[in-house]
Amino acid sequence: LRRRSSQVGEDELALTLGALRACTLPKLSAADVPIFSWIARDLFPGSASAPSGRLPELADAIGTACESLRLQPLPPFVAKCEQLNATLGTRHGVMLIGGAMAGKTAALRALREALALVGAPRDKLPLLVTHRLNPKALPLSQLYGAFDTASREWTDGVVAELMRGLVDGARRAAEATEALAVYLQPPPWRGWLVFDGPVDALWIESMNTALDDSKRLCLASGEVIRLPE
């Protein structure tokens, strides 16, 4: 927010409130948003002047993406896409929660298309690689990998293969960024591995180390796949 603010003498209290809004509003339900606003007004007088942190070019791109996906760019939907983008900028793992037909997958698709519009490709590397799978469609042995009971040979699962591909893509993008940095500043590369399905303790437990600060996917074979920064 400090980098985006055009006012050099921006009040630090307003910047603090803007950061709280960016980190808290995406986690709240529609019924809790007015309560948060009331608390913010009580704790931060003059909170209306706090920077929102919105990116106008991203909002326009989300509207364009909604038209291409035949979705209605209603203000609540666009705001939720912006909140998702802000959350992805501060965390490497997020969870979209909502009922059926609530727009979770639609928001993710719209944001993906919008990010592709904002950062047009300047080289042959794709800017946003997305892999989507239903974790409940496969057993754990095929999801993460397992040892063969007879030969004791390890067979990689779908998640292990996709994660290695994303790590390799991030490494190649970093090398290309170093080569292009002399001439221009290329847009950031992103890789998404989307688990589009119900959450249960069976498959999410194996993602604990990948979602915490260690950023490591630990397989039963002893291999550790380190996620890029």
Side-chain angles (χ1 to χ4, degrees), residues 17 20 28 32-45 47:
L17 178 58
L20 287 175
L28 301 179
D32 293 333
V33 171
I35 300 177
F36 174 79
S37 300
W38 297 334
I39 296 175
R41 283 197 297 267
D42 291 338
L43 297 179
F44 299 90
S47 59

Side-chain angles (χ1 to χ4, degrees), residues 50-67:
S52 61
R54 294 193 62 187
L55 300 175
E57 63 274 14
L58 179 60
D60 296 338
I62 292 174
T64 304
C66 289
E67 293 179 1

Side-chain angles (χ1 to χ4, degrees), residues 24-209:
T24 306
L25 286 179
K27 306 176 185 178
L28 301 179
S29 62
D32 293 333
V33 171
I35 300 177
F36 174 79
S37 300
W38 297 334
I39 296 175
R41 283 197 297 267
D42 291 338
L43 297 179
F44 299 90
S47 59
S49 61
S52 61
R54 294 193 62 187
L55 300 175
E57 63 274 14
L58 179 60
D60 296 338
I62 292 174
T64 304
C66 289
E67 293 179 1
S68 63
L69 296 173
R70 296 187 177 182
L71 300 173
Q72 293 183 356
L74 300 178
F77 183 80
V78 175
K80 190 58 63 177
C81 292
E82 292 178 309
Q83 292 174 3
L84 176 59
N85 179 68
T87 306
L88 288 172
T90 57
R91 297 175 178 84
H92 66 282
V94 301
M95 184 177 295
L96 296 177
I97 302 175
M101 305 299 292
K104 303 183 294 296
T105 302
L108 195 64
R109 291 175 58 194
L111 178 60
R112 183 187 184 280
E113 295 293 332
L115 291 176
L117 293 174
V118 171
R122 298 180 182 177
D123 53 16
K124 296 182 179 180
L125 289 175
L127 294 179
L128 180 54
V129 179
T130 306
H131 300 292
R132 193 176 70 177
L133 59 92
N134 185 353
K136 298 293 289 182
L138 297 172
L140 290 180
S141 58
Q142 297 181 17
L143 197 61
Y144 295 102
F147 284 104
D148 185 86
T149 56
S151 63
R152 301 301 299 170
E153 293 183 356
W154 173 262
T155 301
D156 281 328
V158 176
V159 174
E161 290 287 348
L162 294 178
M163 195 70 75
R164 282 199 199 93
L166 292 176
V167 171
D168 184 64
R171 177 186 57 80
R172 291 187 287 109
E175 294 174 354
T177 299
E178 293 179 359
L180 293 172
V182 179
Y183 307 100
L184 49 85
Q185 181 62 37
W189 182 90
R190 295 178 176 91
W192 291 353
L193 181 56
V194 182
F195 293 82
D196 196 349
V199 178
D200 61 25
L202 294 178
W203 68 265
I204 196 63
E205 184 178 0
S206 300
M207 293 292 295
N208 285 340
T209 55

